[in-house]
Amino acid sequence: MKRLQLLLLAMVLAFVEAGAQKGLRVNDIFEGDVVEKNNMVVNIIKGGQLAPYKLRYFRSLKFKASEEERRKIEERVAADMQRAEDLEMERKGDARDSWLYYAMMTLPPQGKSSARHSYLCYQCVPANSVFYITLVYMEGSATLEEMRRVFKGKQQMTAPRS
């Protein structure tokens, strides 16, 4: 009986984690529909470690993408940017060939609690015909300005050294 309860709890927790980005266009990326999951470095942090940042959930992906994959990913990030309550972004390149280099946004509150926001951060760094992409999804009550202050001075996401 106890094993069944533990199995059910594990299944519920897995469903909650998988659904954290549900409703966002980037959910396809987190599910491995654009770049295969086995080609990603995934980090998930929940609970007390995030309390000082006014966050309750953190999930990040790091991976290499081809030009075609980068375009699909940027399309999804741009779609979610349309819903952002607060947004900062930067594009690189020229007028003929530019790409979304960086975006950090606060998305509308989800669920029953209006104090819970979702945040999406994206960075894309080109290197030798591939793109190193970092995508971070977070939930919490912090404002984007509070997050900027907390993370100011932290090392920026960059391409791994070869």
Side-chain angles (χ1 to χ4, degrees), residues 49-61:
Q49 292 177 322
L50 297 172
Y53 307 105
K54 295 185 180 180
L55 297 173
R56 66 172 207 82
Y57 182 80
F58 173 97
R59 184 175 184 188
S60 70
L61 304 175

Side-chain angles (χ1 to χ4, degrees), residues 33-47:
D33 294 342
V34 180
V35 173
E36 292 202 26
K37 280 186 174 183
N38 60 353
N39 293 330
M40 298 179 182
V41 174
V42 179
N43 289 299
I44 297 173
I45 304 170
K46 300 185 286 186

